[in-house]
Amino acid sequence: METLWFVIVAFLLTAYVVLDGFDLGAGAVHFLIGKTERERRATFQAIGPVWDGNEVWLVVAGGVLFCAFPRLYASSFGGFYLPLMIVLWLLILRGVGVESRSQFINPVWRTFFDFVFSAASILLAVFFGAALGNVIRGVPLNSDGYFFEPLWTNFRTTGQVGILDWYTVLTGALALLVLSMHGGLWMALKTDGEINTRARKIAIRLWGPVVALTGISLAATIYVRPQALDNFRLYRWGWLIPIVVVLSLLGIFIYSRKGSDLRAFLASSVYITGMLAGAAFAFYPYVLPSSTDPGLGLTISNTAAGAYGLKVGLVWWTIGIVLALGYFTFVYRHFAGKVTLEGEEH
Amino acid sequence: MDNDLLLHRIHFAFTITYHYLFPQLTMGLALLIVVFSFLTYRRWEAEVKGLDHFPRDQWPDNIALLYYSYHIMVGLGTIFIAIMAVATWLLWRRKLFQSRWMLWILMVSFPLPYIANTAGWMTAELGRQPWLIHGLMRTRDGSSHMVSSGNSLFTLLGFMGLYTVLSMLFLLLMYRHLERGPEAPTATGQRFETPVY
């Protein structure tokens, strides 16, 4: 039952990264894709109807975490207090940027809020990558299962660790590149003409660095956390995941060169899913490893809620996810197709 | 001599206003106690325990603020019921859009829901003290021990700053929209929402 909930939480977080990832990515490459005021509208036509719903997957993941693994929620939200608050502010600023930009027909106003939107998107991508890096590297848990990390200490991954050290900055950079590429592929999918060409070119240009950093961060992960390979030795079917990652990377390159935008975007989604699934697979059953003493790490067994709660929660979650997926399919079907620059302002 | 008279007049005005408002608020509260005690205990004779029945260490911190927040919320709620009852009756009689006095009242009372809402939340959050989970956990036991007060202060200031900026943005947008007024309907009677200058 705990394993099932582990998979559910991993699924929800992956869904969030794939979905809000393209919003953040579109924001990150916003100024590179849209050179004029008219062209910049394309970004908001493309993500306008869906960005809010995409962000909700993060709320769902947090809520499910609270329900299924309350001790993990308690420990990590206290320990990651500072970056979580900063992420909150960035999410607010990103949303304000999207919704306020078209309130006044004034170039200074629009450019200012475009900048807020883009900067917040870039920083969010970095922070989310760093957050994952923190979880993989481990945190200084005490015997009660609590910790607190300052924003940075000495940038080393051992001893007194901070939120930012060389490893988490690396994962943050990888996240930024991956999400920018992902966002670029979404923009290519949703636009045509000049903007489509530009978005695709950006995505292709980012592909090389993404591949390079994927390899480097994989090596760094094994260096920082040698236990990551244990599950791969135990369960041989886990090797499917890196194979999927490599294939999806190839897919991104081939499809975007050919101009099959939908396939390229789907390949990118598969890549992100593969990377996150690999991470979840690698550190199962740990949910938050300890950087000091391995015995103090939080696992699914010592953080899960009671069996009755997990069972009841599963019933409600199933009902909820069916509703959510139904509505999700409806919205994306309704807004499918290319966006036009002449359409109504979002 | 003049100063004394002025001071006395002001004092008199305050006293009258206070005594005018206070009985209404109390009578409203009495009615609510009757209704809610029935809803809670399902018997007319159920005893609703006053504050003096609980030990001193289980009292909320700031009883005066709690008391007035609650009364403001309830008082405003009663006013809303009255206003909306009259407005609905006028609407039913198709006289609402011609009664200037009612339209004025409706327009002027637009900030009242914000106040009532905030007062209600203050009632809830002040009234729950000292409990975070009633009977099980006190507020002071529920705070994160690992998060130092400096961090809390930093994020509190951060939020205050962000909300201040957002409030100014909100006021700016509201003002411009109000200044523009309602859109003139097109020939088909449709109204389009366009951005304001």
Side-chain angles (χ1 to χ4, degrees):
Chain A
M1 183 55 93
E2 286 92 353
T3 307
L4 178 60
W5 277 105
F6 179 85
V7 171
I8 289 176
V9 173
F11 161 70
L12 291 172
L13 280 172
T14 308
Y16 171 70
V17 177
V18 169
L19 293 173
D20 211 18
F22 74 68
D23 296 332
L24 296 177
V29 299
H30 177 59
F31 282 106
L32 297 172
I33 290 180
K35 299 289 184 193
T36 67
E37 154 54 34
R38 219 173 128 269
E39 284 173 355
R40 290 201 198 123
R41 268 213 254 157
T43 312
F44 298 100
Q45 303 275 49
I47 68 170
V50 292
W51 78 265
D52 213 341
N54 291 343
E55 200 178 281
V56 174
W57 287 91
L58 182 64
V59 181
V60 175
V64 167
L65 201 66
F66 180 59
C67 156
F69 299 107
R71 275 198 73 206
L72 170 65
Y73 183 90
S75 170
S76 59
F77 277 57
F80 291 132
Y81 182 75
L82 287 173
L84 272 174
M85 287 293 169
I86 294 174
V87 161
L88 260 179
W89 297 339
L90 290 172
L91 285 170
I92 293 174
L93 287 173
R94 189 267 296 253
V96 167
V98 174
E99 297 296 331
S100 308
R101 80 175 292 276
S102 39
Q103 295 295 332
F104 285 86
I105 304 180
N106 177 317
V108 175
W109 177 275
R110 294 209 162 173
T111 312
F112 174 72
F113 281 105
D114 277 2
F115 173 73
V116 167
F117 163 66
S118 192
S121 301
I122 291 172
L123 286 172
L124 276 169
V126 173
F127 264 90
F128 285 141
L132 183 60
N134 268 276
V135 172
I136 295 174
R137 177 207 65 207
V139 295
L141 292 161
N142 64 17
S143 48
D144 286 328
Y146 292 104
F147 71 100
F148 183 80
E149 268 187 24
L151 279 178
W152 71 87
T153 52
N154 53 13
F155 281 90
R156 280 203 274 249
T157 57
T158 49
Q160 284 281 11
V161 290
I163 302 286
L164 297 173
D165 57 40
W166 66 261
Y167 176 70
T168 59
V169 168
L170 184 65
T171 53
L174 176 63
L176 177 60
L177 289 177
V178 169
L179 293 185
S180 303
M181 181 180 75
H182 192 56
L185 288 171
W186 172 259
M187 288 305 297
L189 175 61
K190 295 293 280 184
T191 56
D192 45 26
E194 178 69 38
I195 306 175
N196 169 288
T197 320
R198 243 183 253 149
R200 211 181 310 131
K201 250 201 265 187
I202 289 170
I204 293 175
R205 268 216 217 117
L206 284 168
W207 184 85
V210 164
V211 172
L213 262 189
T214 305
I216 295 174
S217 69
L218 239 44
T221 305
I222 297 171
Y223 172 77
V224 162
R225 197 167 164 68
Q227 309 92 318
L229 290 178
D230 288 349
N231 276 344
F232 286 95
R233 288 192 201 106
L234 258 149
Y235 308 104
R236 291 284 169 174
W237 53 266
W239 286 102
L240 203 60
I241 297 177
I243 295 174
V244 164
V245 166
V246 170
L247 285 177
S248 59
L249 277 174
L250 282 171
I252 296 171
F253 187 71
I254 295 172
Y255 288 127
S256 47
R257 281 311 264 323
K258 270 206 327 210
S260 322
D261 293 325
L262 177 61
R263 297 217 179 122
F265 176 74
L266 290 174
S268 178
S269 310
V270 170
Y271 167 75
I272 294 177
T273 309
M275 290 290 276
L276 290 173
F281 181 82
F283 60 69
Y284 174 87
Y286 280 96
V287 284
L288 195 58
S290 165
S291 63
T292 48
D293 178 357
L296 291 175
L298 293 177
T299 66
I300 57 175
S301 3
N302 62 17
T303 55
Y308 179 70
L310 292 181
K311 224 177 2 173
V312 173
L314 191 59
V315 174
W316 284 105
W317 182 83
T318 312
I319 298 172
I321 200 73
V322 165
L323 286 171
L325 286 174
Y327 188 69
F328 174 88
T329 315
F330 168 73
V331 171
Y332 275 83
R333 275 252 167 84
H334 185 76
F335 288 101
K338 305 273 182 188
V339 298
T340 58
L341 292 183
E342 315 308 331
E344 276 278 308
E345 282 272 4
H346 169 68
Chain B
M1 187 58 189
D2 249 331
N3 262 335
D4 283 351
L5 186 58
L6 179 64
L7 212 55
H8 275 103
R9 280 179 164 161
I10 294 173
H11 179 93
F12 185 70
F14 270 120
T15 315
I16 292 294
T17 313
Y18 179 75
H19 282 103
Y20 192 77
L21 291 174
F22 191 71
Q24 273 69 273
L25 292 176
T26 320
M27 283 190 274
L29 177 63
L31 174 63
L32 276 167
I33 288 180
V34 169
V35 171
F36 283 135
S37 69
F38 181 72
L39 289 173
T40 314
Y41 298 113
R42 300 265 188 266
R43 308 189 321 266
W44 289 113
E45 305 83 27
E47 186 196 357
V48 179
K49 293 214 197 88
L51 205 53
D52 52 351
H53 281 263
F54 293 93
R56 192 74 176 76
D57 66 340
Q58 285 183 28
W59 285 16
D61 283 353
N62 194 338
I63 296 185
L65 186 60
L66 169 62
Y67 180 83
Y68 285 111
S69 309
Y70 180 68
H71 282 67
I72 289 170
M73 175 189 78
V74 170
L76 286 176
T78 317
I79 291 172
F80 293 151
I81 293 174
I83 293 177
M84 293 315 287
V86 176
T88 312
W89 183 79
L90 284 171
L91 183 67
W92 181 55
R93 281 310 180 96
R94 298 171 200 276
K95 287 201 278 194
L96 180 59
F97 296 108
Q98 284 76 39
S99 9
R100 285 188 71 91
W101 59 276
M102 192 62 213
L103 292 176
W104 264 106
I105 291 176
L106 285 172
M107 191 193 78
V108 159
S109 45
F110 98 87
L112 296 184
Y114 290 107
I115 299 173
N117 210 333
T118 311
W121 273 110
M122 286 172 66
T123 310
E125 297 307 318
L126 287 167
R128 76 168 334 144
Q129 305 301 332
W131 300 110
L132 199 55
I133 306 171
H134 187 83
L136 290 176
M137 185 189 256
R138 286 174 179 262
T139 313
R140 64 161 178 264
D141 298 326
S143 62
S144 302
H145 295 132
M146 303 295 288
V147 179
S148 68
S149 52
N151 291 304
S152 300
L153 186 62
F154 168 68
T155 52
L156 179 66
L157 291 174
F159 269 111
M160 281 170 64
L162 186 62
Y163 283 2
T164 307
V165 170
L166 290 179
S167 314
M168 295 197 295
L169 180 66
F170 171 75
L171 287 173
L172 179 68
L173 290 172
M174 277 296 124
Y175 176 71
R176 285 305 172 98
H177 273 284
L178 287 172
E179 195 181 37
R180 199 126 198 272
E183 272 293 324
T186 64
T188 55
Q190 281 184 298
R191 289 167 190 271
F192 288 109
E193 186 67 45
T194 57
V196 294
Y197 285 85

